[in-house]
Amino acid sequence: MKIKKTIALVLSLALAATAFIGCGNTTKDSASESQTQETQTSGKKVFTFGDTTFNAENEEPTIDAHDAYCGWPCIRYGIGETLFKFDDNMQLEPWIAESYENVDELTWKITIKDGVTFSNGKAVDAAAVKACIEDLVAVHERAAGDLSIDTIEAEGQTLTIKTQTPKPTLINYLCDPYGCIIDVDAGNEGGIVVGTGPYVATELVTDDHISLVKNEKYWNGTVKVDEITVLTISDGDTLALALQNGDIDAAYGMAYASYPIFENDAYTFSSTATSRAFYCQMNYKSDIIKDDAVRKALAMGIDKESFVNTLLNGYGYVGAGAFPETFTFGGQNVKTDSYDPEGAKLVLEDAGWVDTDGDGIREKNGKTLTIRWISYPSRQELPLLAESAQATLKDIGFDIQLNVTADHGQIVSDPEQWDVYAAAFVTCGIGDPMYFFTTHCLDDSSKNRGGYHNDNLQALGDKMNETFDADARGDIAIEMQQQILDDNAFIFCSFLKMSMISKSNVTGLVAHPSDYYELTADLDIN
């Protein structure tokens, strides 16, 4: 089994771990060694964090929140903070802002807290926030579409935003990582921005590391750790070895297969359910995917239970709809095909897909049932999903051609090069269901990579955009989920149980359901 092979690989390479750390990237070595020496000589608290996801592959080459998905490391590593944030139940609570008022359908009045400063000492007033948001919507296409801002006025600590259309989720969208309030006047040299969080970035090398120091002017409590290095370690086995050897203090993105190594008193797990879905997106510009029977058979041919229980060691939840059952509008409200290989075979046969030459792969009108499956490796679960799907779908008569590569973005941008795209995405990252639909499913969605369209879904999207009542929005979200499931436009395989693993002397490193807030002022080494 893949799991056993992976564990064996980890164990067999354990002796080589020191050599790896010693002979690997020079910058990482230098950072680790210098921190160790400094800790010994100065008594400073120094923390090293390994993360598989901080890289250009995930559209995170820097921490400039106004670029692609770079807001994620900005907020995760405690550099940037948003006006509001989510509590443990994904409900809004004040952060940089003190309160908000929805004056009318188009007008929102936000009061900024007194006493908040950027890490360079500059006060955060409404004018600074206005400048930040205006820069954001000028350069960030997704944010501009989400926020739909008409005008912004600033007076003292009061910010007044008028939107072009009713925007019930404006405050939620401002909690997206791109909404980190940064000092745009300070610039973004080398992708480093000035935020309000407990840590200040001092050095950044894409796909390698970022160096942080304590924000001596932090407005919201005492920062306990003096220096932090976040290392980009995209290979899960390498990440495990680094934590085993003590070269890092904690890790995010560890492969589930490596978890047993750390299930002892020397380490601490912090885990929580999230809405990060592992899903398959169909390319409607592909002739073979346009066949309704092919999409339905794909949906019936993926063994979600086995993927979660065996390959993920139970560290996940089987998916039905776009949202986990922790939300009132979650997958418990929709119907979808369960794993049914015999049923999938009948669906294909009825549609004319039969194995005419006895090689196990079906054909129709001279074309083989070949699916080009694109995914990427930095999310350790996606290669496992690809291999699992390839095995179960082969038994049904599919020829699944896997391409799990860091170049997935470039490949998927060309609709001629793929049929199914398997990815991971936080579907309810703003605490509201519209987030997933606006990013993936509607005609103007930036991640509607396969050109999916449904008239009813479009109409429901328009209806949700005009609906302020949260319960009514939930009902619409259920209808929208059912529509995309009926079309088999997406297959939701599982949701992630997010975990961070740290040495037992590390405290304050707590997994959050949003998957956003990782390094906070509470982080400490004892």
Side-chain angles (χ1 to χ4, degrees), residues 35-46 214 224-227 524-525:
Q35 287 172 359
T36 301
Q37 293 168 0
E38 191 163 15
T39 300
Q40 292 172 346
T41 58
S42 69
K44 287 184 177 179
K45 291 190 175 182
V46 178
K214 174 195 298 187
K224 302 174 182 64
V225 175
D226 298 284
E227 297 179 2
D524 201 1
I525 301 175

Side-chain angles (χ1 to χ4, degrees), residues 125-145:
D125 55 15
V129 176
K130 175 178 184 288
C132 175
I133 296 176
E134 287 180 338
D135 181 77
L136 170 67
V137 298
V139 301
H140 197 286
E141 183 178 359
R142 180 165 56 89

Side-chain angles (χ1 to χ4, degrees), residues 2 57 234 371-390 400-409 411-412 417-418 420-423:
K2 176 70 176 176
E57 176 185 335
S234 297
I371 299 294
R372 296 164 297 174
W373 181 292
I374 306 298
S375 192
Y376 50 94
S378 64
R379 279 283 168 192
Q380 309 298 308
E381 303 81 4
L382 290 173
L384 299 178
L385 174 62
E387 293 174 7
S388 173
Q390 184 183 45
I400 303 295
Q401 299 290 323
L402 300 183
N403 189 359
V404 181
T405 171
D407 295 330
H408 62 106
I411 295 172
V412 173
Q417 295 192 47
W418 62 284
V420 172
Y421 178 59

Side-chain angles (χ1 to χ4, degrees), residues 8 115 130 164 261-262 283:
K130 175 178 184 288
Q164 298 166 0
I261 300 172
F262 304 103
N283 179 10

Side-chain angles (χ1 to χ4, degrees), residues 301-303 306-307 311 383-393:
I302 296 176
D303 188 353
S306 178
F307 171 61
L311 296 177
L384 299 178
L385 174 62
E387 293 174 7
S388 173
Q390 184 183 45
T392 57
L393 290 169

Side-chain angles (χ1 to χ4, degrees), residues 425-444:
F425 189 81
V426 176
T427 57
C428 202
I430 64 166
D432 185 272
M434 196 60 186
Y435 184 64
F436 177 73
F437 300 117
T438 54
T439 53
H440 282 72
C441 307
L442 302 177
D443 290 352
D444 58 357

Side-chain angles (χ1 to χ4, degrees), residues 286 288 353 361-362 367-372 397-401 419:
S286 159
I288 201 166
W353 290 98
I361 305 302
R362 297 174 184 270
K367 179 182 294 184
T368 61
L369 191 54
T370 297
I371 299 294
R372 296 164 297 174
F398 281 93
D399 171 29
I400 303 295
Q401 299 290 323
D419 301 303

